[in-house]
Amino acid sequence: MNEGRIRLLGFGAMAVFLVTWGMDIFSVVDPCPYCRTQRSVIGLLGLLMIFRNPHWSLLHLGNIFAFYGAHVAALQHFMNWDAFDDGNFEMLYQPIYKNDFYLSAAALIIILTQFVIINQRRTRSAVVS
């Protein structure tokens, strides 16, 4: 993937970060520490994707944040599967912007995709150097 596309995806992640935090700040959605963590990690990784050649220490810090964000998203998603197992399906009838089952799955996919893109770029630039 070329640098232009990576930067474009980084700006897209920053847009997701800003819109979702805006919805939280203006009380469109309920406060949720899991969601806040996931959107913050998406924003931090998006910022790393915007930089052309971030220092290796920033990339390492990005990997730490990515694993933390992915863990939180997977934990939240699993808690919903646990609720399904107990017979609680009411979360499926919430609006999509309040449905933490779908949003945690989307956050997990976004964070892991950002992780892969950032590390592929690092590996490719190390080979070229």
Side-chain angles (χ1 to χ4, degrees):
M1 184 175 292
N2 67 17
E3 283 296 317
R5 287 187 181 161
I6 293 173
R7 292 186 75 202
L8 186 63
L9 289 172
F11 283 118
M14 292 302 297
V16 166
F17 166 77
L18 292 172
V19 168
T20 55
W21 265 108
M23 291 175 72
D24 191 355
I25 290 169
F26 293 113
S27 299
V28 175
V29 294
D30 298 327
C32 170
Y34 295 100
C35 304
R36 288 176 174 175
T37 300
Q38 294 161 31
R39 70 177 67 113
S40 296
V41 168
I42 289 171
L44 288 170
L45 295 177
L47 192 61
L48 272 178
M49 293 169 73
I50 292 171
F51 294 134
R52 288 210 183 267
N53 290 316
H55 192 264
W56 68 266
S57 60
L58 287 176
L59 293 172
H60 181 66
L61 193 60
N63 285 339
I64 293 169
F65 282 125
F67 277 103
Y68 176 66
H71 171 76
V72 170
L75 179 64
Q76 184 180 21
H77 196 68
F78 179 76
M79 288 189 314
N80 284 302
W81 279 108
D82 192 38
F84 291 157
D85 194 40
D86 292 340
N88 181 3
F89 297 101
E90 66 188 43
M91 69 199 64
L92 293 177
Y93 304 111
Q94 295 175 344
I96 190 72
Y97 62 90
K98 289 187 175 187
N99 192 322
D100 58 345
F101 177 68
Y102 296 125
L103 294 176
S104 62
L108 184 60
I109 291 168
I110 291 169
I111 291 168
L112 291 177
T113 302
Q114 287 177 306
F115 170 78
V116 168
I117 289 171
I118 289 169
N119 283 291
Q120 280 181 345
R121 182 170 67 175
R122 181 176 71 176
T123 303
R124 193 174 62 237
S125 66
V127 170
V128 173
S129 299

